Amino acid sequence: TVFDDAGVNVVAGAEVTLEQLSAPGRLRRVTTDASGAFSFGSVPAGDLRITAISANGLVAMATPVLQREGEVVTVVMTLEGSGRLEGT
């Protein structure tokens, strides 16, 4: 489930990306529903990175580990502001 930066309200319509860290670049995307929930099916065991981005640019990241294929893991994500750094 994805929550706003206050951790109070759920965020519908956030884009959630799943990446298997053992297979970088293989991304799967879903959008949160009206209750802020999201789901990915048939995820192989291993280290994962889940990133959520709201329409107004707030970001959350989680790095769960699935011990076995078919395991169900609940991930609660709270969005935060993000910044940009440029060097000269």
Side-chain angles (χ1 to χ4, degrees):
T1 305
V2 177
F3 288 90
D4 65 6
D5 55 342
V8 176
N9 301 304
V10 297
V11 178
E15 180 180 276
V16 182
T17 303
L18 170 72
E19 179 178 13
Q20 288 177 248
L21 297 182
S22 62
R26 291 185 61 196
L27 305 176
R28 295 168 57 187
R29 290 184 174 88
V30 296
T31 302
T32 57
D33 64 17
S35 63
F38 63 92
S39 177
F40 293 97
S42 302
V43 178
D47 296 335
L48 307 170
R49 178 178 8 232
I50 301 173
T51 306
I53 302 174
S54 68
N56 62 352
L58 297 177
V59 179
M61 186 178 299
T63 54
V65 176
L66 292 183
Q67 300 298 321
R68 65 188 180 290
E69 191 169 335
E71 179 181 10
V72 176
V73 175
T74 300
V75 178
V76 176
M77 305 178 80
T78 301
L79 297 167
E80 299 177 353
S82 62
R84 180 178 169 151
L85 178 63
E86 290 186 27
T88 56

